[in-house]
Every structure is written in C-alpha cells, then in structure tokens.
Amino acid sequence: MIRYAKPTTLDEALALLGEGAWRVLAGGTDFYPAQGAKPFRDNVLDINGLASLRGIAETETHWVLGARTTWTDLVRHPLPAAFDALKQAAREVGSLQIQNVASIAGNLCNASPAADGVPGLLVLDAEVELRSAAGTRHLPLQEFILGNRRTALLPGELVTAIRVPKPRAAGTSAFVKLGARRYLVISIAMVAARLVAEAGIVMEAAVAVGSCSAVARRLAAVEAVLVGKPVGPALADALLSAPMAELSPIADVRGSAEYRLDAARELVARAVLGACGLTNDNSMVAA
C-alpha cells in the first residue's frame, strides 16, 4: 500500500522519515514531471504544511533560507548585494508561476547539473542544513551535491535550510545564463561571480559555473587570477587564458563540449564585469 502523509510539524515529518523510505514533495515543479504517466510506487511525504521551513532569517552568524522558501520569496526579500546573483538566477527558474511555488531546497535536491540556483549559492559558500530524528548536520553545498541526480542526503534526513555565512555575504555579485532562447530554457552554460573590492582592488573573488560539469563548480584558478587586480573592464582580459580545469562539459542537443567551454569563458568575463557594475545583461541567447 502506498502511503501519503502531510505533517504539520517538523518533528512529525522527521518521525515519519525515520520509519522508512519516502519521496518528499515540496513545490512539486520537478516531482510531477519526473513521475510522468508512471503509477506511484513510493510513499509520498508532502512537506507543504511545514510553515517553519519557509522564509528568510538573519542570525548573528548566517543568513538562513528555509527549505520551502520559493524563488519569488527570495527575489522579494531585502538581502545584501552579494545575493544579487542568486536573485538574478531566481528570475530564470522557469516561469513566474514556477517561481511562485518551486522551493530553493528542491532545486538542490533535484541535483541537476543545470540547476539555476546552485552557482549563486556556491559563490556565497552556502551550506545545507540536514535534519533527522537523530540530530542535525551541516554540509557545504559543494559536498551535498555529488553528481547528476545524486546528493549526500541520508535515509531519514530532510533538508531544512540553506545557510550563508555572514562573512561571505559581502561584496557584489552577478549571474549570466546562456540558453537556446531568452526565457523558459535549460541552460547551455551559466556563471555566478561575487567580488569584494577595497580601494578599487579585488580583495576576494568567487566564481562558479553550472551546466559544464556533472555538478556546478567553483573555479579556483580564475578566482586567484582576479584577486589583486584593479576593478574595471581589464578584468575580462585577465580571464582570457585563466585555467578552467574544473570544467568537463558534455555534448548534447543544446551544444557541443567545445562550445560550452568557449561559452563558459565568455560568461565568466560577463559575470565578473556584471559584479563590477559594468554590465547588467544576465541572460544570453545562443547564436
């Protein structure tokens, strides 16, 4: 017999998860398309009754995004400029109707290489809060998403929040996405960049690329190239030969591996310039 449960408290949800295997239903924007016409075989745990998991809070040490927080919630909430890349990505998650119900945690748990929210969270050094009846643990986002459709979520665990350390919520940021059309598209490549500058010099840089490897990746060598450089258009030139060894794109119907690599380099330059306030074009159409 297939079970359906809609708990109203987190403790109740965790107790149910501890009893056996469940498919967690949050916004449902990926849940139902993935199911297709197949009959349900799994128990369904609907967490849409857990009001405590929705919303954005500021603590002494972190910005905390509840797991059920929607992309529309994120866009509307006043946040530091370091979150601008994430807000720009939020506006690229499907249609407005999708943004109104799709959850941030669902985007992570779906673990698609093309998940729009991941690069913007990576440049913020976000961590995932995982709770079970046995306790709570926190994992860096880069350790939570293991591969295409694979996460580090253990049996009995539920993602309850995404946390951004206050020191990483500094600077300015931008997001750029390349797709086959302007709206409602799975990305060919996408980039988030965050820069912290003092006296016109880049003191800290974070750059992440999605859709160009099995999981979105931070580019350590690119970040190292940027640190110490004057803020301005010349930053794009400094990136022309920067190593991007972390990327390993595939070829598919949206583009070849070589095209994705070339596109990623161009998008990195545009995102970095966007973080400097020198461009605001965050969505591109493939030629």
Side-chain angles (χ1 to χ4, degrees):
M1 180 181 295
I2 304 301
R3 298 177 65 190
Y4 169 85
K6 188 176 182 180
T8 56
T9 69
L10 181 56
D11 286 344
E12 182 186 357
L14 297 180
L16 288 167
L17 283 172
E19 294 176 2
W22 297 79
R23 280 186 70 191
V24 175
L25 169 62
T29 57
D30 286 313
F31 185 99
Y32 291 109
Q35 185 67 31
K38 297 177 294 184
F40 280 98
R41 304 289 186 190
D42 304 313
N43 297 327
V44 177
L45 184 67
D46 184 343
I47 64 169
N48 285 293
L50 302 182
S52 63
L53 297 190
R54 183 169 179 179
I56 299 173
E58 180 182 4
T59 71
E60 290 186 2
T61 58
H62 290 81
W63 286 94
V64 181
L65 316 177
R68 288 189 52 243
T69 302
T70 70
W71 295 107
T72 298
D73 294 337
L74 176 75
V75 168
R76 292 177 176 174
H77 196 88
L79 289 164
F83 284 84
D84 285 353
L86 188 59
K87 288 191 173 191
Q88 290 165 359
R91 295 183 176 94
E92 300 288 339
V93 179
S95 63
L96 287 174
Q97 294 91 331
I98 294 294
Q99 293 164 26
N100 287 342
V101 295
S103 67
I104 296 175
N107 195 246
L108 306 187
C109 291
N110 195 41
S112 166
D116 290 313
V118 176
L121 286 168
L122 283 176
V123 299
L124 292 166
D125 284 342
E127 62 184 27
V128 181
E129 180 180 276
L130 304 164
R131 292 189 63 179
S132 69
T136 302
R137 66 186 180 120
H138 299 96
L139 272 183
L141 177 56
Q142 58 195 0
E143 296 178 18
F144 175 73
I145 302 178
L146 303 178
N148 185 15
R149 311 295 179 180
R150 295 191 300 116
T151 72
L153 196 66
L154 297 176
E157 283 188 326
L158 180 69
V159 175
T160 51
I162 297 93
R163 299 169 9 125
V164 174
K166 283 285 190 68
R168 301 284 81 80
T172 54
S173 67
F175 173 83
V176 185
K177 174 178 176 176
L178 173 67
R181 58 180 185 266
R182 180 64 180 84
Y183 296 106
L184 302 174
V185 64
I186 296 174
S187 65
I188 296 169
M190 56 183 166
V191 177
R194 181 178 64 86
L195 301 178
V196 178
E198 293 181 12
I201 301 297
V202 177
M203 305 302 293
E204 180 183 336
V207 178
V209 177
S211 289
C212 289
S213 46
V215 298
R217 297 288 189 190
R218 285 276 295 269
L219 303 185
V222 167
E223 293 170 359
V225 165
L226 291 170
V227 173
K229 297 287 193 302
V231 173
L235 285 176
D237 297 330
L239 298 171
L240 291 177
S241 58
M244 297 184 179
E246 296 87 350
L247 304 184
S248 53
I250 62 169
D252 61 13
V253 295
R254 284 180 286 276
S256 67
E258 294 78 11
Y259 178 69
R260 277 192 162 92
L261 282 174
D262 288 343
R265 189 172 295 278
E266 173 64 23
L267 265 60
V268 166
R270 293 194 183 202
V272 166
L273 293 179
C276 296
L278 299 175
T279 177
N280 59 4
D281 181 13
N282 69 296
S283 186
M284 300 166 57
V285 178

